[in-house]
Amino acid sequence: YGRPCVRPKNADSVENAAQQLTPLEESQLNFAESSAKEKTESAVTAQRRLQNFLDEIEAAHKAAIQKIKAAQALALKTDQEQADKGDPIALRRMGERYRDGDGVEKDLAKADEYFKKADEATETERKRINEENKLKEQAARQQRFIRILNLADRGNLECMVSAGKCYRYGDGVEKDSKKAREYFQKASDLGSAEAAQLLHEHDSE
């Protein structure tokens, strides 16, 4: 198998010398180890900061969800309270909630019930507003009539004619044919052609 050879006498020293680093190699190794340590620490710090940032985002998200839920609960509570008082808008909103399952369990029967109540409340409110407007208009006409009558009684010719018309048609005052004729006659006597014509029409009726 070949000739045996004798291990050189300086083999151990040569091997030891080969395993020793030169000052330059040792410096380069130390620098590499230091750089690797710094990079590892930087990576750990960056990872920690990233995790903190993600935790903050999650906390903000949860807080936002809680605020939204609180706002939705308040809106539902307000809608229900106003609906219980007969508010037509709130009644319709509750109908929509039960129809769509918005904040409450979906229930089409309840939705239909609320919609019917909303229609009834809307009609009631419409009648109330119409009556209120009617009363306001009557009050305004009455005030206008009082001003006209006051000026007519002071001798204002135009207002005499207007007062006669108010009495004739019941505008701001209860109809009174006798008083209408009286004011038309006064205005006609003072030379109002319009009053004379109205007096003629009045007597012809």
Side-chain angles (χ1 to χ4, degrees):
Y1 300 102
R3 297 173 60 185
C5 61
V6 179
R7 178 179 175 80
K9 293 181 179 181
N10 64 342
D12 291 339
S13 61
V14 171
E15 288 180 356
N16 290 333
Q19 293 176 1
Q20 297 297 318
L21 298 176
T22 66
L24 177 60
E25 291 173 335
E26 187 173 357
S27 175
Q28 290 175 339
L29 178 61
N30 290 337
F31 177 77
E33 290 177 345
S34 177
S35 296
K37 183 178 179 181
E38 289 179 0
K39 290 179 180 179
T40 300
E41 291 176 350
S42 297
V44 171
T45 300
Q47 181 64 33
R48 187 181 300 113
R49 289 177 178 174
L50 175 60
Q51 187 60 51
N52 290 340
F53 180 66
L54 293 175
D55 291 343
E56 290 175 1
I57 291 177
E58 184 177 359
H61 180 65
K62 288 181 178 179
I65 291 176
Q66 290 300 319
K67 287 182 178 180
I68 292 172
K69 287 182 177 179
Q72 290 174 337
L74 179 60
L76 174 59
K77 181 175 180 291
T78 301
D79 285 343
Q80 185 64 69
E81 289 176 349
Q82 293 301 312
D84 291 342
K85 294 177 181 178
D87 182 79
I89 295 177
L91 285 167
R92 190 165 300 282
R93 179 65 183 130
M94 288 305 299
E96 293 170 349
R97 284 183 178 279
Y98 279 105
R99 180 194 64 194
D100 304 331
D102 180 10
V104 296
E105 187 175 350
K106 190 172 183 178
D107 189 327
L108 297 182
K110 276 192 175 182
D112 186 55
E113 180 182 342
Y114 273 108
F115 284 136
K116 287 180 179 178
K117 288 182 178 180
D119 290 339
E120 292 172 358
T122 298
E123 180 62 18
T124 300
E125 181 66 8
R126 185 189 66 79
K127 290 180 178 178
R128 186 193 68 78
I129 291 175
N130 287 343
E131 185 62 26
E132 184 178 292
N133 290 337
K134 183 179 178 181
L135 292 174
K136 287 181 179 179
E137 184 179 353
Q138 288 177 349
R141 288 180 177 276
Q142 288 172 352
Q143 291 298 319
R144 174 177 172 275
F145 169 73
I146 291 171
R147 290 194 299 270
I148 289 173
L149 188 63
N150 185 40
L151 292 172
D153 290 341
R154 292 182 181 182
N156 185 294
L157 185 60
E158 183 178 347
C159 288
M160 286 181 188
V161 177
S162 295
K165 289 179 180 178
C166 288
Y167 277 118
R168 182 182 184 185
Y169 300 112
D171 184 3
V173 66
E174 189 175 345
K175 284 185 178 182
D176 191 323
S177 178
K178 183 178 179 180
K179 283 188 175 292
R181 189 182 192 290
E182 178 183 332
Y183 278 98
F184 289 151
Q185 185 67 65
K186 286 181 180 180
S188 178
D189 292 343
L190 291 174
S192 171
E194 182 183 5
Q197 178 63 35
L198 290 168
L199 181 61
H200 175 71
E201 293 176 359
H202 179 275
D203 290 341
S204 299
E205 290 178 352

